[in-house]
Amino acid sequence: MTEMVDVQPTTIGVGTVIALVILIYGTLFGGTILGLEPVAAALWVLAATFLAVALLHGAYGRRDLAVAFAGAGVALATVLRAGTGARVALGLVGLVVAGSYVAMAMVRARRRARPSASADGPG
């Protein structure tokens, strides 16, 4: 019997902790990290985290989530590299679209994984 392991929360958690450490370091000690302002460095870490989660979903056969997380990573990178307001807007629209799909797909997947709500609901 194979056991399913949900590595998405762990991957996102590790990326978030790294981003927070970068922000805390930048707040306490100032300066740049690898030539980037701490906020920009933290956001690049989050973009890389989205791409890592996309690779994991692709490896486990969830192509729809792989594309959505990759889209979120590319959209965040677009915002970070934007030189004009139009590119920022394009990146933000991409983040909203990809994030909305991820949210809906994850809610559906969690709902399918749980026993029926009527069995443990009130009444």
Side-chain angles (χ1 to χ4, degrees):
M1 179 163 94
T2 60
E3 180 180 336
M4 291 294 290
V5 178
D6 192 1
V7 295
Q8 176 182 313
T10 303
T11 306
I12 292 173
V14 168
T16 301
V17 168
I18 293 170
L20 287 173
V21 167
I22 290 170
L23 286 173
I24 291 168
Y25 176 85
T27 300
L28 295 178
F29 302 108
T32 62
I33 299 167
L34 300 173
L36 295 171
E37 291 297 320
V39 172
L43 288 171
W44 278 109
V45 167
L46 290 177
T49 301
F50 292 157
L51 294 173
V53 172
L55 289 173
L56 289 169
H57 278 296
Y60 286 98
R62 286 297 309 263
R63 304 278 188 254
D64 60 333
L65 284 174
V67 170
F69 273 102
V74 169
L76 184 53
T78 299
V79 170
L80 290 169
R81 303 259 317 147
T84 65
R87 285 192 57 152
V88 170
L90 177 68
L92 291 175
V93 167
L95 277 169
V96 168
V97 169
S100 297
Y101 181 81
V102 167
M104 288 186 308
M106 296 309 297
V107 166
R108 277 190 236 127
R110 301 275 188 235
R111 200 174 283 155
R112 278 193 301 260
R114 279 189 290 161
S116 74
S118 62
D120 57 344

